């Protein structure tokens, strides 16, 4: 059995709204291809939810729907609804831009802008029109501290961000994603390109960030899911197979497919 | 790796490598040959060789600079004999300044040490044996040829040194005065003329409208007085050198008098050290780059043409870059993919293949006549009405040339920008959008800076094409000789309506429109060389900027 993989984690604050993000009967197509079969799940406030499953099963697709990044793709279509705090993200009265300001995102490949470290971090504030230098400075320092990067870069904030190491770049991207204090943080395999030490740092970071943000993380590493998440969703071929507390999924999965996957029999 | 690359170069496995490298070799040879030809021929404008006195068998003789040697057209192929071309100058005495001499007719060729070479404002160079030098005060200095040219120490006889330093001093003084006169004639009188023209137009308008004219007539009177005053000043100054001249004899024994006022440069072709020749060469190069042309452009400098080419090219780039970039942004980022977009793309690409003269015709028909004509009607109607219908913008000029070339090079910039935008990593675009930036903010803050090097590559290509283009310019505003520069001290400083000179057109004009094509030939090459250098410099400048920009993105390790 896979119990050995699961390590005990500190208890989580359960006072948040249980249906902070509410996905209802949501299905999704790229053109003619159905990428997500109708699924329903609620993501509770200030918890970490991990999406796991073999590649191509639709984890990123669902994640990228939470901030409507998939709008960039031509010929997409969805059914059902996704609501954040009860408000549909497809509400015509809601602008995509304001949605994305509430939902930060960290990508699989770190993608800092070819600008200074400082400008990278405050980018989201700049595009919101913040010009006050003190506000920007403050946001820069807070975000970099939260991203556990401040001590490493505080003396070279004006250096080009592309000069950082891979792990530092990814933490910079996290700092950038949280600089405008979003409510939700989406992370799509944030550690897949990093070495174990950098990965450890980021996982620690996720623990700390959980106090303020609702985090959805896609990962292909089951150990990682076990280490960082409160709840885990297992997807297979575009279908949500099982969604429960991480403990339950790893100790006592309800579905045979889930068990097969986490015990490493496929994927 | 190393073994596979050496394998590739053996003909056995990869015969095509040889074939493709052949193409490269042919290309390189042609470029090297072209540059070499241009370099050697262009160089002869600046170099002062020794000047022989050639005695012919019929007893006559000539003094001139050797130019070239060729097989006589009627000589048998088995036993060819040659003829030589000499530049003898002195057009006021000789019918042509270049002569061909059959080598069989040459009895003797020697280098007379006291031969004096003179470059003049008019009538081409002169090669004479000086007899008397009259300085600016009217004092005579006879030039006596000593018995021994070189003394025991191998030094030239002091009489040469003294005479030549006197000549130099006089030429320097004459040059200084000529420049002052030129300054008065061009700049000071130019300002007066411009004001006068304005006043005349104002006067005609006032008369037409039956408004009081006293003030204007007074103004014209003062300007007239100022004009004659300046003219008189110029005359006074030129009188300072009126006396000085050189008397001498030419090869045929005819006596010649050459006033210092008309001499640009004097040198002793048979009497100089190599250092002297090199410093003469630099002096000529400086004139070539910094002075205005003379003698129907076949002598003197190219400054107006260099300046005109530069200003036009830069102005064209300033026009084409924003328009091209904005068009590309629309095509790439905003336009909906579909049949219309594809057709537009094809049109843009085909625009790049349209012969440039077609753009010239379009420029003349649309920019000059329609746009320029309308501008004149709207803003310069007074000028038209009271200045004999002289158009301002309704005729060729800098603005229309730049616009025409901008239109011609637009596809280059559009295509380069579209490619540069596509090359920006998708992650950067997504990161910006995910941070809540709008599409326009993403374009402005992320995509454009990141694609700047690629855009600049397009601008470089556009500049290279624009700077070397001649055909369309000939009909929208480039002229053989422009009295003024497109940028000068008169408000509004940048004169978009002015006609200007251009290196490319200069080459065409010198080579094919010049009455004395022999005299123009070296200048054609020198100008070609300069145009090539100018285009290379413009490109190098742009490439440097691009590399600086690129260095900023180099750290991107993903
Ligand atoms: N932009 C796209 N256009 C078309 N199909 C896509 C696109 N992105 C992903 N897909 C398809 O959707 C399915 C789910 O992909 P994805 O969500 O990226 O899987 P993963 O779980 O590995 O993140 C895959 O079959 C993939 O081929
Ligand atoms: Mg994925």
């Amino acid at each position: 059995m896979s119990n050995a993989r699961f390590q005990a984690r500190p208890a989580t604050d359960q006072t948040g709204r249980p249906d902070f993000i509410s996905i209802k009967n949501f299905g999704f197509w790229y053109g003619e291809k159905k990428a997500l079969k109708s699924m329903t799940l609620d993501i509770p406030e200030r918890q970490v939810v991990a999406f796991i499953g073999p590649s191509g099963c639709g984890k990123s697709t669902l994640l990228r729907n939470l901030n409507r990044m998939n709008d960039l793709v031509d010929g997409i279509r969805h059914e059902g609804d996704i609501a954040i705090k009860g408000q549909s993200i497809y509400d015509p009265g809601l602008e995509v831009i304001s949605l994305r300001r509430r939902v930060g995102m960290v990508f699989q490949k770190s993608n800092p802008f070819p600008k200074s470290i400082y400008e990278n971090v405050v980018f989201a504030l700049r595009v919101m029109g913040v010009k006050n230098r003190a506000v920007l400075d403050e946001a820069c320092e807070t975000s970099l501290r939260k991203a556990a990067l401040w001590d490493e870069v505080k003396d070279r904030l004006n250096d080009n961000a592309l000069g950082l190491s891979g792990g530092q770049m990814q933490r910079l991207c996290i700092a950038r994603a949280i600089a405008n204090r979003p409510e939700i943080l989406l992370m799509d395999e944030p550690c897949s390109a990093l070495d174990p030490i950098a990965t450890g740092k980021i996982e620690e970071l996720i623990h700390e960030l959980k106090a303020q943000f609702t985090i959805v993380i896609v990962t292909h590493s089951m150990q990682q899911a076990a280490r960082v998440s409160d709840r885990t969703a297992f997807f297979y071929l575009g279908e949500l197979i099982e969604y429960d507390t991480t403990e339950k999924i790893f100790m006592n999965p309800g579905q045979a497919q889930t068990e097969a996957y986490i015990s490493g029999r496929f994927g | 790796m190393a073994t596979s690359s050496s394998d590739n170069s053996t003909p056995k496995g990869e015969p095509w490598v040889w074939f493709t490298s052949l193409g490269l070799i042919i290309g390189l040879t042609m470029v090297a040959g072209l540059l070499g030809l241009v370099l050697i021929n262009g160089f002869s404008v600046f170099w002062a060789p020794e000047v022989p006195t050639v005695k012919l068998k019929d007893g006559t003789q000539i003094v001139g600079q050797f130019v070239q040697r060729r097989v006589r057209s009627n000589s048998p192929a088995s036993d060819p004999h040659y003829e030589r071309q000499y530049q003898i100058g002195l057009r006021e005495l000789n019918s042509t300044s270049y002569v061909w001499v059959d080598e069989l007719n040459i009895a003797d060729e020697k280098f007379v040490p006291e031969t004096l070479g003179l470059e003049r404002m008019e009538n081409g160079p002169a090669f004479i044996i000086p007899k008397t030098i009259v300085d600016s005060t009217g004092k005579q200095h006879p030039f006596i040829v000593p018995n021994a040219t070189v003394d025991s120490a191998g030094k030239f006889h002091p009489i040469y040194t003294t005479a030549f330093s006197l000549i130099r001093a006089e030429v320097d003084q004459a040059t200084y005065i000529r420049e002052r006169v030129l300054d008065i004639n061009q700049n000071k009188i130019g300002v007066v003329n411009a004001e006068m023209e304005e006043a005349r137009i104002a006067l005609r308008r006032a008369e037409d409208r039956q408004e009081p004219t006293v003030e204007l007539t007074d103004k014209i009177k003062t300007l007239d007085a100022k004009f004659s005053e300046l003219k008189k000043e110029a005359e006074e100054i030129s009188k300072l050198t009126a006396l000085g001249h050189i008397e001498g004899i030419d090869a045929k024994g005819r006596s010649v008098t050459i006033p210092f006022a008309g001499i640009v440069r004097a040198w002793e072709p048979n009497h100089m050290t190599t250092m002297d020749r090199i410093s003469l060469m630099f002096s000529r190069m400086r004139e070539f780059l910094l002075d205005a042309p003379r003698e129907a452009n076949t002598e003197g400098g190219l400054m107006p043409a260099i300046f005109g080419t530069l200003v036009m090219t830069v102005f064209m780039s300033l026009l084409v870059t924003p328009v091209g970039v904005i068009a590309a942004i629309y095509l790439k980022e905003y336009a909906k993919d579909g049949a219309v977009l594809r057709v537009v793309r094809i049109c843009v690409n085909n625009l790049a293949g349209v012969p440039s003269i077609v753009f010239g015709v379009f420029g003349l028909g649309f920019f000059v006549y329609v746009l320029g004509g309308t501008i004149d009607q709207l803003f310069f109607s007074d000028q038209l009405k009271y200045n004999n219908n002289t158009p301002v913008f309704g005729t060729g000029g800098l603005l229309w040339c730049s616009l025409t070339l901008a239109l011609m090079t637009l596809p280059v910039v559009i295509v380069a920008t579209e490619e540069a935008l596509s090359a920006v990593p998708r992650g950067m675009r997504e990161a910006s959008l995910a941070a809540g930036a709008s599409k326009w903010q993403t374009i402005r803050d992320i995509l454009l800076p990141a694609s700047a090097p690629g855009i600049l590559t397009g601008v470089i290509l556009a500049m290279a094409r624009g700077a070397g283009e001649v055909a369309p310019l000939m009909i929208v505003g480039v002229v053989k000789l422009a009295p003024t520069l497109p940028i000068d001290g008169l408000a509004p400083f940048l004169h978009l309506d002015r006609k200007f000179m251009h290196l490319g057109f200069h080459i065409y004009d010198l080579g094919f429109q010049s009455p004395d094509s022999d005299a123009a030939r070296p200048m054609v090459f020198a100008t070609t060389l300069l145009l090539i250098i100018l285009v290379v410099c413009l490109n190098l400048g742009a490439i440097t900027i691009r590399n600086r920009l690129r260095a900023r993105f180099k750290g991107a390790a993903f």
Side-chain angles (χ1 to χ4, degrees):
Chain A
M1 279 300 281
S2 54
N3 328 20
R5 294 166 194 261
F6 187 77
Q7 294 138 24
R9 303 179 39 262
T12 297
D13 165 25
Q14 296 290 346
T15 58
R17 185 175 172 152
D19 61 343
F20 193 72
I21 305 174
S22 151
I23 301 165
K24 272 205 201 74
N25 302 324
F26 187 78
F28 188 83
W29 289 260
Y30 289 112
E32 290 306 304
K33 183 179 182 316
K34 186 156 193 180
L36 293 178
K37 293 185 188 137
S38 178
M39 58 181 65
T40 299
L41 66 158
D42 285 345
I43 293 170
E45 190 172 1
R46 289 196 298 279
Q47 292 208 3
V48 180
V49 171
F51 290 177
I52 60 169
S55 48
C57 67
K59 310 177 294 285
S60 299
T61 302
L62 181 59
L63 190 80
R64 293 164 61 87
N65 266 307
L66 299 181
N67 65 347
R68 292 182 59 180
M69 275 314 271
N70 272 335
D71 288 13
L72 300 182
V73 182
D74 281 335
I76 50 149
R77 192 157 59 83
H78 74 273
E79 61 178 16
D81 193 21
I82 297 174
I84 293 175
K85 286 205 283 196
Q87 189 193 19
S88 165
I89 63 168
Y90 296 103
D91 186 339
L94 175 76
E95 274 202 66
V96 178
I97 291 177
S98 63
L99 168 70
R100 290 187 187 144
R101 284 176 184 168
R102 288 165 57 199
V103 185
M105 186 162 196
V106 177
F107 296 81
Q108 178 173 4
K109 272 193 203 160
S110 66
N111 49 4
F113 303 128
K115 296 170 179 269
S116 68
I117 293 172
Y118 182 90
E119 286 302 326
N120 262 282
V121 178
V122 302
F123 180 79
L125 296 169
R126 285 230 191 263
V127 296
M128 282 164 74
V130 178
K131 294 216 169 63
N132 186 325
R133 187 81 197 181
V135 175
L136 294 176
D137 286 349
E138 211 272 328
C140 177
E141 180 172 345
T142 328
S143 320
L144 283 172
R145 276 190 195 286
K146 277 191 205 150
L149 192 59
W150 175 252
D151 290 328
E152 288 161 62
V153 301
K154 63 170 181 254
D155 299 322
R156 47 178 177 136
L157 290 177
N158 290 319
D159 287 8
N160 196 316
L162 299 181
L164 296 174
S165 75
Q168 288 174 324
M169 278 199 213
Q170 193 60 299
R171 276 180 283 150
L172 179 69
C173 291
I174 294 174
R176 181 177 67 190
I178 59 179
N180 62 342
R181 300 168 201 267
E183 297 158 13
I184 299 166
L185 193 57
L186 310 176
M187 301 174 128
D188 193 347
E189 303 192 27
C191 304
S192 65
L194 301 183
D195 59 71
I197 294 176
T199 303
K201 277 194 181 153
I202 296 214
E203 285 178 5
E204 216 146 280
L205 198 57
I206 293 172
H207 273 303
E208 323 235 308
L209 294 175
K210 200 167 76 174
Q212 288 171 39
F213 305 97
T214 304
I215 298 175
V216 184
I217 177 170
V218 170
T219 172
H220 59 224
S221 147
M222 280 166 287
Q223 291 95 320
Q224 185 169 60
R227 283 194 297 266
V228 301
S229 67
D230 301 298
R231 299 178 73 81
T232 298
F234 171 64
F235 296 84
Y236 185 61
L237 294 179
E239 205 174 341
L240 175 63
I241 305 292
E242 192 169 357
Y243 175 54
D244 213 319
T245 61
T246 304
E247 192 172 348
K248 171 94 174 26
I249 293 273
F250 280 86
M251 306 287 270
N252 188 15
Q255 302 288 326
Q257 278 166 319
T258 317
E259 186 179 344
Y261 181 69
I262 56 178
S263 59
R265 262 184 273 142
F266 68 91
Chain B
M1 285 308 272
T3 51
S4 80
S5 73
S6 70
D7 282 348
N8 277 349
S9 59
T10 59
K12 248 189 239 154
E14 280 286 359
W16 289 106
V17 171
W18 290 86
F19 191 72
T20 48
S21 69
L22 201 69
L24 181 70
I25 289 168
I26 292 176
L28 284 182
T29 321
M30 275 160 64
V31 170
L34 173 83
L35 282 181
L37 182 81
V38 168
L39 206 68
I40 291 167
N41 280 290
F43 195 67
S44 73
V45 174
F46 307 112
W47 189 251
E50 296 196 309
V51 173
T53 300
V54 182
K55 275 210 176 69
L56 303 179
K57 285 191 176 143
D58 61 4
T60 60
Q61 56 179 8
I62 56 166
V63 183
Q65 201 166 294
F66 172 73
V67 180
Q68 57 177 325
R69 182 171 184 252
R70 70 176 182 204
V71 178
R72 278 196 68 115
S73 55
N74 56 356
S75 78
S78 54
D79 176 28
H81 65 273
Y82 293 86
E83 57 184 352
R84 296 184 187 185
Q85 191 184 29
Y86 292 94
Q87 184 188 19
I88 55 173
L90 267 176
R91 262 207 306 270
E92 69 267 44
L93 295 181
N94 305 315
S95 51
T96 57
S97 53
Y98 287 78
V99 288
W100 285 100
V101 176
D102 192 335
E103 276 188 3
L104 297 174
N105 286 340
I106 296 179
D108 170 40
E109 190 184 66
K110 64 172 194 250
F111 297 93
V112 179
E114 60 265 30
T115 307
L116 180 67
L118 298 171
E119 223 169 274
R120 304 181 299 167
M121 294 298 288
E122 280 168 3
N123 288 328
F127 300 104
I128 59 167
I129 310 291
K131 289 290 171 216
T132 315
I133 300 157
V134 180
D135 68 18
S136 50
T137 60
K139 197 165 161 246
Q140 300 210 344
H141 306 265
F143 186 91
I144 302 149
V145 183
N147 290 329
T149 320
V150 181
D151 69 11
S152 52
K155 290 233 171 78
F156 283 107
H157 197 285
I159 191 135
Y160 293 114
T161 342
T162 328
F164 280 127
S165 52
L166 177 63
I167 292 173
R168 282 240 170 77
E170 288 293 326
V171 170
D172 283 350
Q173 194 194 349
T175 307
Y176 171 70
I177 283 168
R178 197 167 46 235
E179 270 161 14
R180 277 184 60 193
V181 172
L182 198 74
D183 177 54
I184 294 173
N185 278 335
Q186 270 188 349
N187 302 340
K188 297 200 178 127
I189 292 187
V191 174
V192 174
N193 277 343
E195 277 178 39
M196 181 84 95
E197 173 135 337
E198 231 168 78
R200 288 230 168 95
I201 292 169
L203 179 66
R204 264 176 246 149
R205 178 174 45 208
E207 277 168 355
D208 200 43
R209 297 183 182 164
Q210 310 198 323
E211 285 162 4
T213 58
V214 196
E215 232 173 78
L216 288 167
T217 37
D218 278 357
K219 190 174 176 195
I220 289 176
K221 260 184 216 145
T222 6
L223 285 171
D224 256 333
K226 223 182 194 174
F227 180 80
S228 352
E229 204 177 293
L230 285 168
K231 270 279 174 225
K232 221 167 97 202
E233 191 188 336
E235 258 167 49
E236 287 296 315
I237 296 174
S238 9
K239 268 189 201 149
L240 291 176
T241 47
L243 283 178
H245 61 265
I246 302 176
E247 285 163 17
I249 52 166
D250 78 344
K252 297 194 170 122
R254 296 171 293 193
S255 64
V256 244
T257 302
I258 298 171
F260 280 118
I263 298 177
V264 179
R265 209 177 266 113
W267 74 102
E268 319 97 78
N270 301 339
H271 197 198
M272 300 162 91
T273 61
T274 310
M275 275 318 290
D276 288 339
R277 283 182 217 279
I278 289 173
S279 81
L280 179 67
M281 180 178 83
F282 279 115
S283 150
R284 282 176 170 175
M285 283 182 173
R286 201 178 53 230
E287 181 192 21
F288 184 69
L289 291 178
L290 300 180
D291 284 0
R294 44 190 165 78
E295 290 272 38
N297 295 351
T298 59
E299 279 176 38
L302 288 176
M303 200 275 282
I306 299 172
F307 192 72
T309 311
L310 265 179
V311 171
M312 196 274 300
T313 309
V314 169
F315 198 60
M316 173 205 81
S317 313
L318 292 183
L319 288 173
V320 72
T321 311
V323 177
V325 169
I326 289 170
I329 288 176
Y330 180 79
L331 286 178
K332 184 86 197 40
E333 302 293 327
Y334 289 105
K336 278 252 177 321
D337 220 355
V340 181
L341 187 66
R342 271 203 299 280
V343 171
V344 170
R345 282 235 168 80
I346 291 171
C347 289
V348 166
N349 286 330
N350 279 332
L351 211 57
V354 173
S356 56
I357 189 72
V358 175
F359 286 98
V361 174
F362 174 77
L364 185 70
F366 181 69
F367 292 143
V368 176
Y369 291 149
V370 177
L371 273 188
T374 315
I375 291 175
D376 276 2
Q377 301 256 305
L378 292 179
F379 303 105
F380 299 95
S381 52
D382 278 2
Q383 229 107 324
L384 278 181
K385 193 163 169 197
Y386 302 111
N387 197 16
N388 312 322
N389 271 326
T390 312
V392 182
F393 279 99
T395 174
L398 177 64
L399 176 66
W400 305 136
C401 283
S402 305
L403 261 179
T404 304
L405 289 196
L407 189 69
M408 190 185 82
T409 51
L410 191 62
V412 182
V413 177
I414 291 182
V415 170
T417 307
E418 276 203 72
E419 266 163 24
L421 285 173
S422 323
V424 177
R426 210 184 63 176
M428 261 189 227
R429 189 188 298 258
E430 290 189 337
S432 169
L433 291 171
S438 67
K439 190 159 189 172
W440 171 241
Q441 284 170 329
T442 303
I443 292 170
R444 190 193 57 197
D445 296 346
I446 306 298
L447 298 185
L448 278 185
S451 48
I455 295 173
L456 263 171
T457 309
V459 175
I460 291 168
L461 290 175
M463 268 168 66
R465 189 164 173 211
E469 197 55 69
V470 185
L473 299 181
M474 286 172 19
I475 50 183
V476 289
V478 160
V479 287
K480 177 190 172 79
L481 201 66
T484 45
L485 294 175
I487 296 179
D488 64 15
L490 285 174
F493 309 116
L494 172 63
H495 302 274
L496 292 176
D497 55 320
R498 278 192 189 162
K499 294 191 175 8
F500 63 103
M501 292 171 70
H502 184 276
L503 281 175
F505 180 67
H506 203 84
I507 294 170
Y508 167 74
D509 178 67
L510 275 174
F512 305 103
Q513 306 286 294
S514 173
D516 190 353
S517 62
D518 277 326
R521 212 174 59 113
M523 274 300 258
V524 171
F525 284 107
T527 313
T528 309
L529 190 62
L530 191 71
L531 180 59
I532 293 173
I533 292 173
L534 189 78
V535 171
V536 169
C537 284
L538 281 174
N539 283 347
L540 280 184
I543 288 170
T544 318
I545 298 174
R546 183 183 64 185
N547 287 351
R548 288 244 174 89
L549 284 174
R550 226 178 234 166
R552 280 174 44 194
F553 302 96
K554 219 171 52 189
F558 44 88

